Amino acid sequence: MKPKVYIAAPVPAEVETYIGQHCEYRKWDGEGPVSDERLIAEISDTEGLLITGKKIDDSILNQAPKLKIVSNASVGYNNFDIEAMRKHNVMGTNTPHVLDDTVSDLVFGLILSAARRLPELDHYVKQGRWKKGEGDKKFFGIDVHHATLGLIGLGRIGEKIAKRGKYGFDMDVLYYNRSRKPDVEKEHGYTYASLEYLLKHSDFVVLMTPLSPETVHFIGRDEFKLMKESAVFVNGSRGQTVDEDAMVEALQTGEIRSVALDVFQQEPVDPEHPLLKMPNAVTIPHIGSATVKTRFDMAKLAAENLMKGINGEEPPNIVKEFMD
């Protein structure tokens, strides 16, 4: 008999076919994320689960005695209750690497959009406000080339953002990281800096830290006060890494020039959130990896991790907390 799995995340037809060749499966076809009640009902007899973002904890695992693996179709895995999963002997996997370039492209799109005020001026034209003969000083932005890029977090994606800045836009690159990377510094000419120095001297501050208890509200009032008044702040990590109230205050008081955000504390963001009413806030709906090819690659990798796990093999992308 084929092992049973449940697909609780949208996957392309080719990936579903691949899973069906190896497993008996059911899938979630409803609108939005699957409810806890439906998920519990579906995984009571399954060995594998493919999912995106849903919290996996004791309340779920207590009802899934046969479950061996939860495969996240994402690079993040803060939805995993690691202690609970280890207790139930359930491994967790993610999909790193395949989205690195795509997310890096998006982050640079945010940098350019905020610097040159692209969303704001797009609305200006579409609203019919562009009049013949008016001066263009009101449209001025700031240069990205030869500016200073400050990266908080120099992981795989951070390194690719740094390369785009250094080699594509002749930027000086500062970085702050949990561990220093001398080889990277030597090869590319990046400068390791304290967080305080980076915040004070960067024209563009880009936050790319993973979400953990230590990074919740990593950027708050004190950090915004250290930034230049001309600084652009970009968050491509997780919404919870920034104190949004402090960020709104920094924009309102002119402590910083603008922000560009792909992530929010609450998603979808509240339509009445003050950030959505600010012309100097670029706001997009968490689309870092949202291209056809990258989402296909992520789903395929998640499926491959799933197959390894249910067959008793070690998946290629088991997260580090399950490897000891």
Side-chain angles (χ1 to χ4, degrees), residues 107-158:
V107 169
F108 239 90
L110 288 171
I111 290 172
L112 290 164
S113 293
R116 299 302 301 272
R117 301 165 56 197
L118 300 182
E120 177 190 354
L121 297 178
D122 172 73
H123 291 318
Y124 186 87
V125 173
K126 288 178 177 175
Q127 291 166 357
R129 297 164 59 197
W130 187 22
K131 305 301 181 183
K132 185 176 181 179
E134 65 179 338
D136 64 356
K137 188 174 182 179
K138 67 171 69 174
F139 308 144
F140 282 6
I142 57 174
D143 287 326
V144 175
H145 64 84
H146 297 94
T148 298
L149 173 63
L151 276 163
I152 303 172
L154 198 71
R156 293 183 310 272
I157 298 174

Side-chain angles (χ1 to χ4, degrees), residues 164-224:
R164 283 158 172 74
K166 176 74 173 181
Y167 299 109
F169 292 86
D170 294 312
M171 301 179 84
D172 292 325
V173 177
L174 304 177
Y175 80 96
Y176 172 80
N177 202 52
R178 285 179 298 181
S179 57
R180 191 167 178 174
K181 297 188 172 183
D183 292 343
V184 175
E185 293 174 32
K186 184 177 179 180
E187 181 179 359
H188 300 292
Y190 307 155
T191 301
Y192 179 79
S194 68
L195 180 61
E196 180 178 348
Y197 185 93
L198 183 150
L199 294 172
K200 285 182 175 180
H201 293 87
S202 297
D203 300 304
F204 298 89
V205 177
V206 178
L207 183 62
M208 295 304 298
T209 59
L211 179 62
S212 68
E214 295 73 32
T215 62
V216 172
H217 286 190
F218 191 79
I219 301 296
R221 283 184 173 82
D222 291 342
E223 288 71 30
F224 284 117

Side-chain angles (χ1 to χ4, degrees), residues 4 26 40-47 63-66:
K4 295 180 180 180
R26 298 185 298 273
I40 288 170
E42 293 286 0
I43 65 172
S44 61
D45 63 345
T46 59
E47 297 175 51
Q63 310 301 320
K66 296 183 178 180

